[in-house]
Amino acid sequence: MDKDQVAAVLEEIGTLLELKGENPFKTRAYHNAARTLEGLNEPLERLVAEERLSGIKGIGDALQEKITTLVTTGRLPYVEELRASVPPGLLELLQLQGLGPKKARKLHAELGVDSVASLVVACQAGRVAALEGFGEKSQSRILEAVAFRAQFASRHRLMAALAAAEPILAALREHPDVVQCSTAGSLRRWKEVIGDIDFVVSTRRPAAVLDFFVGLPGVRSVLARGETKASVTLDGEGIQADLRVVDDAEYAFALAYFTGSKEHNIVMRQRAIARGLRLNEYGLFRAKEETRDPALRIDCRTEDELYKQLGLDYVPPELREDHGEFAAAETHHLPRLIEWTELKGSLHNHSTWSDGRNAIAEIAAHAQELGLAYWAITDHSRASFQANGLDPQRLREQLKEIADLNRRFADEGSAFRLLTGVEVDILKDGLDLEDDLLAELDVVVASLHVPSGEEAENTRRLIDAAGNRQVHLLGHPTGRLLLERDAYKVNLQAVIDACAATGTWIELNANPYRLDLDWRQWQYARSKGVKCVVNCDAHRLEHFGFLRLGTGVARKGWLTRDDVINTLPLERLRKALAAKRAG
Ligand code: DGT
Ligand code: CA
Ligand code: CA
Ligand code: ZN
């Protein structure tokens, strides 16, 4: 096990002990140790092999032994026993907002609550309100939290769905009876949140392919299995996946149909009718009635040919939302969408100087390995104290470290450069750092981390930040966390207008929880000439991969290479950064 996996187990032990009512010092020791491991700058395996765990503050003998066992064997009997001693439903309770181990334990001890279902029953009977330390208000808050969870239980962030779909698609591709296959549905359209995953396959042997699909490793349970389709639940989050099987001659039509969106399909069907044709998932037919008769089918081997038949340029899946793609495809005005390989770097990222997991040198090495041209280090400013934000003095020290590294790259003949910067907090009355200091940095990202409840107030703060010459871009401009937290109240149109007027860029934050500015807003922003920056907001090396996710969402927002600042090579980027400051 690596340090993050071990940290997760320690975190779980702490929680289980809390549920059992153990001594708070003991439970806290586990939580703290988990945090410590996460912050380590060297591999845990090495620390264990060199018996250096004891040198780490807060890791006593008992913890050392458990960590060593986990690292070397990947298992820990202690946690397995602990898990078995706690009703599994109690852990489920902790997923409810506002319900911690202490309250869960009390509900269990006093009311026998051992699952979300039995908690709802207790609430409905008014027994939770009657419990000491709870009351009416807390009872109705619990019911709200249950409703909130249910609403999101069947929806999933795109990143998780992509990860679940990839091995299945790969397996289908390998199968000898599969002729063509693809993902379809909202996943292929790159929606930020999806209901279920859809696959389309063409084959001469539907039964063999369906058998193979429902028996794949990673399939938790089979919900339905018919002659031409099957639905399953996958391991992990329990995402549902649907597979449709068609003849190869029907493949292009099925793929287009099951890619959707419903709104897009409706217009496609109307266009067919207007041409005296009939369109459905099996074909485009010379017919006025519903049919699947191959003799009437107009041959289309690809989606491209289908769009041609209906008088349209090929519409990339990301744009199939009936958001203006038909007018553009009719007149050859669809944009040439950005490709993720066109990105040259990311302008919003963190390091160990604030809440990132990797040292700047490690980050730079990784960026160079990936062939990127630049990477900005924009750690938090001091107001984000929980994220170990930087005050002016530490920021200046960081600038020295980056200058040293850049000198080294130059000496080595590498064209790669780190950019200095900060993610400065937008506070109630201005930015968290002085303009003079900001002016010394290559890149300034301004973010609203503690919004007000008032739309006018948040809008004003963002507009003021955009009005500052030192600020290049607004970070994660809505503050939303998909399926967890709504956007703060803000008049986005006014903010976009202010960015247009001041030459301020807007981030498309590629973190799978954020993906904002939302794709629905980019057509407007683009029409106003506002540039986008697709940023990783990386807190660890694995986050570099978000660039591909973010670019997909940028495509969904109709953005081209020219609309996205971080496709510029370094020298042109520097000019663009300087332009904002010139006013
Ligand atoms: P999701 O799964 O809720 O994130 O969204 P989708 O778009 O993947 O929807 P899903 O899985 O129910 O169906 C996949 C596609 O199949 C959908 O995008 C369009 C097509 N489709 C499904 N039902 C209908 C329908 O009743 N009418 C039309 N025109 N298309 C449909
Ligand atoms: Ca779907
Ligand atoms: Ca579906
Ligand atoms: Zn941030």
Side-chain angles (χ1 to χ4, degrees):
M1 278 192 179
D2 67 20
K3 64 179 180 182
D4 291 322
Q5 291 167 317
V6 174
V9 174
L10 297 185
E11 198 74 68
E12 187 187 352
I13 294 176
T15 305
L16 288 166
L17 291 175
E18 277 179 89
L19 278 173
K20 292 178 73 99
E22 280 280 351
N23 167 348
F25 290 105
K26 189 168 166 186
T27 63
R28 212 168 305 139
Y30 281 96
H31 290 304
N32 290 341
R35 209 88 10 90
T36 304
L37 293 193
E38 285 173 353
L40 283 180
N41 280 326
E42 59 179 317
L44 188 54
E45 295 82 348
R46 196 193 304 160
L47 283 170
V48 168
E50 297 173 5
E51 296 182 7
R52 285 191 286 125
L53 277 178
S54 57
I56 301 176
K57 205 176 133 231
I59 303 208
D61 292 345
L63 268 161
Q64 279 176 46
E65 198 190 308
K66 293 196 178 74
I67 293 171
T68 306
T69 310
L70 281 167
V71 169
T72 50
T73 70
R75 290 187 50 218
L76 184 62
Y78 173 72
V79 69
E80 285 157 23
E81 282 160 33
L82 206 53
R83 275 182 200 140
S85 71
V86 173
L90 273 191
L91 279 172
E92 186 183 82
L93 293 190
L94 299 181
Q95 292 170 6
L96 296 174
Q97 220 161 10
L99 202 71
K102 225 166 147 188
K103 283 188 175 169
R105 189 157 51 84
K106 185 147 182 164
L107 289 165
H108 180 57
E110 311 252 332
L111 302 177
V113 166
D114 59 1
S115 64
V116 171
S118 60
L119 176 60
V120 170
V121 173
C123 284
Q124 283 164 348
R127 281 185 282 133
V128 174
L131 205 59
E132 194 204 322
F134 281 81
E136 284 292 345
K137 227 183 176 166
S138 135
Q139 175 171 286
S140 59
R141 235 178 279 132
I142 287 175
L143 285 173
E144 276 167 32
V146 173
F148 187 79
R149 200 184 74 119
Q151 187 192 339
F152 287 134
S154 57
R155 305 212 300 148
H156 308 272
R157 282 173 287 271
L158 177 60
M159 186 79 165
L162 285 170
E166 228 156 81
I168 294 182
L169 188 65
L172 287 171
R173 257 200 206 112
E174 291 291 304
H175 193 278
D177 290 320
V178 170
V179 184
Q180 301 186 69
C181 67
S182 172
T183 55
S186 49
L187 182 96
R188 184 166 180 239
R189 300 199 313 279
W190 222 260
K191 278 281 286 281
E192 69 280 15
V193 165
I194 72 135
D196 63 20
I197 301 172
D198 301 278
F199 296 99
V200 180
V201 161
S202 69
T203 178
R204 284 165 185 254
R205 299 186 58 212
V209 173
L210 288 164
D211 284 343
F212 176 70
F213 176 68
V214 301
L216 278 172
V219 168
R220 179 186 293 164
S221 60
V222 180
L223 301 170
R225 160 78 159 82
E227 309 253 292
T228 58
K229 60 182 180 188
S231 291
V232 300
T233 325
L234 304 177
D235 285 338
E237 279 184 28
I239 306 181
Q240 185 182 321
D242 297 342
L243 171 69
R244 267 99 175 181
V245 178
V246 295
D247 288 342
D248 199 48
E250 296 170 335
Y251 179 75
F253 306 102
L255 179 59
Y257 181 88
F258 291 112
T259 295
S261 64
K262 274 184 191 129
E263 294 74 14
H264 181 89
N265 286 355
I266 288 168
V267 179
M268 291 286 278
R269 193 190 290 255
Q270 284 164 350
R271 291 185 74 92
I273 290 170
R275 286 164 174 72
L277 306 173
R278 197 85 200 178
L279 177 67
N280 58 34
E281 59 266 56
Y282 307 112
L284 178 64
F285 298 96
R286 293 184 211 286
K288 299 248 180 315
E289 306 288 320
E290 275 305 305
T291 175
R292 195 184 173 174
D293 181 355
L296 299 175
R297 194 174 54 222
I298 297 172
D299 195 37
C300 293
R301 299 304 302 172
T302 62
E303 286 184 318
D304 195 60
E305 291 174 33
L306 170 58
Y307 280 97
K308 288 261 149 57
Q309 286 289 341
L310 298 178
L312 297 165
D313 290 341
Y314 174 75
V315 179
E318 296 91 332
L319 303 190
R320 300 184 194 169
E321 300 288 349
D322 195 16
H323 272 224
E325 69 271 26
F326 289 103
E330 258 179 1
T331 55
H332 312 300
H333 279 95
L334 283 172
R336 195 200 70 86
L337 302 178
I338 181 176
E339 307 278 342
W340 80 276
T341 47
E342 291 171 334
L343 295 182
K344 304 274 192 300
S346 161
L347 300 187
H348 172 187
N349 308 287
H350 300 271
S351 75
T352 44
W353 284 75
S354 66
D355 60 349
R357 294 285 162 75
N358 302 94
I360 297 178
E362 267 180 286
I363 294 169
H366 194 59
Q368 282 176 295
E369 234 165 75
L370 296 179
L372 296 168
Y374 47 80
W375 197 259
I377 303 295
T378 56
D379 277 307
H380 289 284
S381 64
R382 60 192 160 189
S384 287
F385 55 88
Q386 74 295 336
N388 196 22
L390 275 61
D391 59 18
Q393 194 196 332
R394 287 182 64 222
L395 185 53
R396 287 215 163 81
E397 286 167 30
Q398 188 187 58
L399 298 189
K400 275 188 231 139
E401 179 176 331
I402 292 176
D404 287 346
L405 283 164
N406 276 335
R407 221 167 291 126
R408 210 180 77 201
F409 303 145
D411 290 345
E412 291 166 350
S414 163
F416 174 83
R417 291 296 178 272
L418 286 165
L419 298 174
T420 61
V422 75
E423 180 185 15
V424 64
D425 267 83
I426 301 174
L427 304 176
K428 209 175 278 161
D429 41 13
L431 300 178
D432 188 26
L433 295 168
E434 299 297 324
D435 288 356
D436 291 354
L437 177 54
L438 297 180
E440 292 178 38
L441 308 171
D442 295 328
V443 183
V444 175
V445 184
S447 301
L448 188 50
H449 284 122
V450 188
S452 126
E454 301 290 325
E455 176 179 309
E457 167 77 14
N458 292 329
T459 307
R460 178 190 65 75
R461 286 198 218 170
L462 288 168
I463 289 175
D464 285 354
N468 185 319
R469 278 191 179 191
Q470 304 306 332
V471 171
H472 294 106
L473 64 142
L474 300 180
H476 46 69
T478 71
R480 74 176 181 192
L481 295 177
L482 293 168
L483 304 182
E484 274 193 9
R485 183 175 80 196
D486 284 339
Y488 44 70
K489 290 188 196 143
V490 61
N491 179 345
L492 279 174
Q493 189 174 330
V495 172
I496 291 168
D497 290 346
C499 288
T502 56
T504 308
W505 310 325
I506 297 182
E507 174 173 87
L508 201 170
N509 190 297
N511 182 295
Y513 282 72
R514 295 188 180 274
L515 299 175
D516 65 341
L517 188 64
D518 189 276
W519 59 269
R520 297 163 187 82
Q521 315 287 341
W522 279 112
Q523 270 171 289
Y524 178 71
R526 183 173 182 247
S527 76
K528 290 275 162 175
V530 174
K531 300 286 181 195
C532 170
V533 192
V534 178
N535 280 326
C536 270
D537 195 355
H539 285 72
R540 47 169 70 202
L541 300 185
E542 298 91 275
H543 293 175
F544 280 58
F546 295 168
L547 283 180
R548 181 168 157 254
L549 184 73
T551 307
V553 177
R555 290 169 61 88
K556 199 161 184 60
W558 291 57
L559 300 182
T560 69
R561 185 184 60 192
D562 293 342
D563 299 317
V564 178
I565 285 290
N566 49 327
T567 59
L568 291 177
L570 181 59
E571 284 320 310
R572 286 183 58 201
L573 172 71
R574 285 199 197 278
K575 286 204 185 94
L577 289 163
K580 169 78 193 258
R581 285 175 173 160

